[in-house]
Amino acid sequence: MYIKITKSGPRRYVQLVEAFRDDQGKPRQRTVATLGRLETVATLGRLETVASEVDSLINGLLRVTGREPVGEAPEQTLQFEFSKAFGDLYALQQLWQQLGFDAFRRVFRSGKRTLDVELLLRILVFNRLSNPDSKLGVLRWLETVQFPGGEVSAVSHQHLLRAMDAMVKAKDAVEETLASTLRPLIDQELSVVFYDLTTVSVTGDTTMKEELRAFGRSKDGGVARQVVIGLIQTADGLPLAHEVFEGNVGEASTLLPMLDRLAKRFPIRRVVLVADRGLLNLDNLAALDAIKLPSGEALEYIIAVPGSRYGDFDETIRPLQESHAASVTASTADVDNFGNTWIDETCWQERRLVVAHDEEAAQAKTEARRQQVEQLMAQADQWCDKLAQQEDGHKGSGRPLSESGITARFYQTVKEAGLAHIIDIDLGNEGFAYHYRALRQQALERLDGKLLLVTNVVDCPAPEIVRRYKSLADIERGFRVLKSELEIGPMYHRLPKRIRAHAMICFIALILHRVMRMRLKAADNAYSPGRALSLLSRIQRHQVKINGTNVEGLSTVTTEQLELFRALQIPKPTAQ
């Protein structure tokens, strides 16, 4: 059977026609049903009626042939179950496996322990990178993400704390595992390492056994209860080792233990240590000279002279200053000249003293100091004139001045300006008396705009020494990542072992962060690790229920997200 349109005058009709052969075998047609005029069938108002008539006809034919009529199609049901962030955690999971961090499973394997410490460690580390929160906040975060590589629905707050305790108990094994995964990423022939400290604020007023929290001078200024974190990283910014110290520890005392651990963990033949100001004194340098690496080589170092010690070097660097001032165009193999900006070196205490001079910075600092001194001297002259007028019996406007009051005010002002070494106020004098030390100011001006570096590295030219030291700023960026993106502080833990565990979690997170940064930079991708993870988190895993059957899938991966996966050397995620 088929549909046929027939004409009758100007009208056209829609008919259901059956084809058959008669007794003589000739093809014939017969009309089974007339569905109506074509114009009427095509009219919107007749569509439902025609459809109903057609359905009735079809069902009648099915009954004649002994088949069941066609019923109404079952109603489709669609129910959205969940939508959870997935892409950022997938990327971190891939990095975790590529770096070999899944070896932590062997570290924490124990016949007595039923806790999956490696999974809990991953949860804590990924949370630091994805959405840093408190340990209780981690549980709320887990409800919003599709965590790869393990079942996390039963994780509790106590599980996380017990995992942290297990991490500290296995600290040596954890650090050795980290070292073994990082060794292929560092230069075995020459490793320039950078060392610095930062402070992390803590909370709580209690005192624990083997307390780490102590009051000390914070890097952010002021005095606070805190702990100190020491960090060693490579020239490429890859963290190698960390340690937690008491909040009031001296910088110098932290250096040697860290270097000893570095030498034991990494079998490198040569280490050039670059450290910031605050570590320079003769005792420290003698101790550094005595350090021997496992290879038998001596430790090499590049250490900045603290600003407070610059005065001790005035006579040493004066010949360099005079030489470059006399001829800014002089040039030797060991000297870089850029107008009045130069890098040169001399000898101090049988070590190299590298001096970098920035003329623009020097002029700015010298001019600012001169203006401050002139303003203070002018103020002092006004007070002296007013005191003299008062002694002569002249009454001026305002309250009378007292010599003791002027002395106290002037001393405080000079001290706040940091110029007490130039303007010396005689506090023992009954009157108002001070001394302007012009020679001392001239000595300071000779040191303006200079960076002083002490080093025992013998085969590196002075400009390269300066460049290596300036790379130390990168470790400061690592600390900013710890404090801002990974939110290492403030710490709410009070037990020393939990504080150490929290620092270890943030340290491992920083390694992943830096590896991401290295890969993005190598691929010439402008995204930071934080921005990359934020964009990848928009890839979500969805689950819907269609007619009672669960169906899962991923958000469509955009071109920008695909480019990030390529830069990070990670395969595109699939729905499986």
Side-chain angles (χ1 to χ4, degrees):
M1 286 187 291
Y2 59 94
I3 298 295
K4 180 181 179 182
I5 299 176
T6 60
K7 292 183 178 180
S8 177
R11 296 185 176 90
R12 292 182 298 174
Y13 294 90
V14 179
Q15 294 178 328
L16 180 64
V17 178
E18 179 185 18
F20 67 97
R21 292 183 180 275
D22 58 13
D23 296 338
Q24 288 76 30
K26 295 181 178 182
R28 296 281 186 260
Q29 297 177 349
R30 59 168 170 255
T31 300
V32 177
T34 300
L35 303 179
R37 289 174 55 188
L38 178 62
E39 295 79 0
T40 305
V41 172
T43 301
L44 182 61
R46 281 278 296 163
L47 286 178
E48 292 183 2
T49 302
V50 171
S52 176
E53 292 176 354
V54 171
D55 288 342
S56 298
L57 176 61
I58 292 173
N59 285 333
L61 293 173
L62 289 172
R63 292 190 189 95
V64 170
T65 59
R67 287 178 286 179
E68 292 293 328
V70 177
E72 293 184 357
E75 182 180 353
Q76 297 284 335
T77 61
L78 178 64
Q79 181 179 353
F80 291 92
E81 295 293 303
F82 64 76
S83 179
K84 296 183 177 182
F86 174 73
D88 55 340
L89 300 183
Y90 165 80
L92 292 173
Q93 173 72 14
Q94 292 294 314
L95 285 173
W96 185 272
Q97 293 175 339
Q98 290 178 11
L99 294 175
F101 285 178
D102 46 3
F104 286 128
R105 287 195 175 276
R106 295 192 298 271
V107 173
F108 298 118
R109 183 179 296 138
S110 172
K112 299 179 181 179
R113 183 185 294 125
T114 59
L115 203 64
D116 189 346
V117 179
E118 188 271 342
L119 172 62
L120 296 169
L121 172 60
R122 263 191 296 131
I123 290 173
L124 292 168
V125 170
F126 290 4
N127 174 256
R128 288 288 110 191
L129 290 157
S130 176
N131 185 24
D133 209 334
S134 66
K135 302 306 176 288
L136 285 173
V138 171
L139 302 180
R140 295 188 293 269
W141 168 74
L142 282 176
E143 296 175 356
T144 67
V145 301
Q146 185 71 25
F147 198 87
E151 176 56 48
V152 299
S153 60
V155 173
S156 69
H157 184 233
Q158 286 301 315
H159 289 153
L160 299 177
L161 296 181
R162 287 169 56 194
M164 293 176 70
D165 295 344
M167 290 167 53
V168 175
K169 189 174 182 180
K171 181 174 181 292
D172 290 340
V174 170
E175 291 182 345
E176 181 55 43
T177 300
L178 282 173
S180 64
T181 59
L182 295 177
R183 283 179 195 129
L185 303 179
I186 66 173
D187 182 2
Q188 300 297 305
E189 294 297 324
L190 171 61
S191 180
V192 179
V193 298
F194 299 84
Y195 179 67
D196 204 354
L197 297 174
T198 193
T199 57
V200 180
S201 62
V202 297
T203 59
D205 299 323
T206 59
T207 301
M208 309 300 298
K209 186 179 179 181
E210 299 180 356
E211 182 65 84
L212 289 172
R213 300 170 298 172
F215 285 94
R217 185 168 296 280
S218 170
K219 292 286 186 180
D220 301 326
V223 176
R225 198 176 195 197
Q226 61 189 17
V227 296
V228 173
I229 307 289
L231 182 65
I232 292 180
Q233 72 175 24
T234 68
D236 295 326
L238 187 66
L240 295 179
H242 82 288
E243 188 54 88
V244 184
F245 301 99
E246 295 84 353
N248 57 359
V249 70
E251 289 186 338
S253 63
T254 67
L255 178 59
L256 299 183
M258 290 285 289
L259 289 175
D260 183 62
R261 290 177 51 204
L262 180 71
K264 291 179 179 177
R265 300 289 184 206
F266 296 94
I268 47 185
R269 297 188 216 170
R270 183 180 183 187
V271 174
V272 180
L273 170 71
V274 184
D276 208 345
R277 311 167 195 269
L279 295 172
L280 179 66
N281 62 61
L282 295 179
D283 293 335
N284 286 342
L285 293 181
L288 289 179
D289 289 332
I291 294 179
K292 300 295 182 182
L293 301 177
S295 62
E297 298 291 330
L299 173 71
E300 297 172 277
Y301 53 81
I302 302 170
I303 298 181
V305 176
S308 60
R309 292 286 305 273
Y310 271 29
D312 301 343
F313 293 82
D314 181 36
E315 294 300 323
T316 304
I317 67 174
R318 182 178 294 189
L320 297 179
Q321 177 78 11
E322 293 174 349
S323 172
H324 288 280
S327 177
V328 297
T329 58
S331 172
T332 69
D334 297 325
V335 180
D336 277 3
N337 291 276
F338 308 96
N340 288 342
T341 297
W342 48 268
I343 299 174
D344 209 337
E345 66 175 278
T346 185
C347 183
W348 175 80
Q349 297 285 347
E350 299 181 355
R351 300 175 181 87
R352 294 174 67 189
L353 176 66
V354 176
V355 182
H357 177 77
D358 184 338
E359 182 63 24
E360 184 177 347
Q363 291 180 359
K365 189 169 184 179
T366 297
E367 183 61 28
R369 185 191 295 109
R370 287 178 179 177
Q371 290 181 4
Q372 280 186 302
V373 171
E374 289 175 2
Q375 291 171 1
L376 290 171
M377 297 292 287
Q379 179 65 65
D381 289 342
Q382 290 180 7
W383 284 334
C384 287
D385 292 342
K386 190 168 184 178
L387 284 173
Q389 292 176 7
Q390 287 180 181
E391 290 178 359
D392 293 339
H394 297 290
K395 293 183 178 180
S397 60
R399 298 175 58 183
L401 298 179
S402 68
E403 293 185 342
S404 61
I406 291 176
T407 299
R409 287 172 59 186
F410 194 48
Y411 173 76
Q412 187 64 30
T413 303
V414 170
K415 185 178 179 181
E416 290 177 354
L419 297 173
H421 45 302
I422 296 175
I423 303 175
D424 185 11
I425 302 171
D426 189 355
L427 298 177
N429 196 308
E430 293 183 359
F432 176 46
Y434 63 91
H435 305 282
Y436 167 58
R437 303 189 180 278
L439 293 179
R440 189 169 295 179
Q441 181 171 346
Q442 293 172 10
L444 288 174
E445 290 179 357
R446 285 194 295 271
L447 296 169
D448 285 343
K450 290 182 175 59
L451 171 66
L452 308 183
L453 302 172
V454 174
T455 180
N456 64 345
V457 179
V458 297
D459 59 350
C460 188
E464 181 62 24
I465 294 291
V466 174
R467 277 189 279 270
R468 286 186 177 181
Y469 173 76
K470 290 185 176 180
S471 297
L472 184 61
D474 193 56
I475 199 170
E476 292 293 342
R477 285 191 285 272
F479 280 136
R480 285 197 292 273
V481 169
L482 279 174
K483 289 187 173 182
S484 59
E485 297 185 39
L486 304 184
E487 296 186 14
I488 192 173
M491 290 189 185
Y492 295 95
H493 298 288
R494 58 186 181 87
L495 297 177
K497 62 180 179 180
R498 300 271 170 81
I499 292 175
R500 296 187 187 279
H502 180 74
M504 186 183 299
I505 291 166
C506 293
F507 175 73
I508 297 173
L510 182 61
I511 293 174
L512 289 173
H513 186 281
R514 285 310 179 97
V515 170
M516 288 184 64
R517 192 188 71 159
M518 291 166 63
R519 293 187 179 184
L520 290 169
K521 185 178 180 180
D524 199 23
N525 190 295
Y527 270 78
S528 67
R531 286 184 60 206
L533 290 175
S534 177
L535 179 63
L536 295 179
S537 68
R538 300 176 191 175
I539 302 175
Q540 297 189 330
R541 182 174 289 276
H542 306 275
Q543 179 174 300
V544 297
K545 185 176 288 187
I546 302 176
N547 294 336
T549 302
N550 286 330
V551 178
E552 293 191 4
L554 293 180
S555 307
T556 301
V557 180
T558 65
T559 302
E560 195 173 15
Q561 290 165 338
L562 279 174
E563 182 58 35
L564 281 177
F565 284 125
R566 282 193 289 268
L568 293 172
Q569 303 170 30
I570 293 173
K572 174 187 173 182
T574 61
Q576 286 77 23

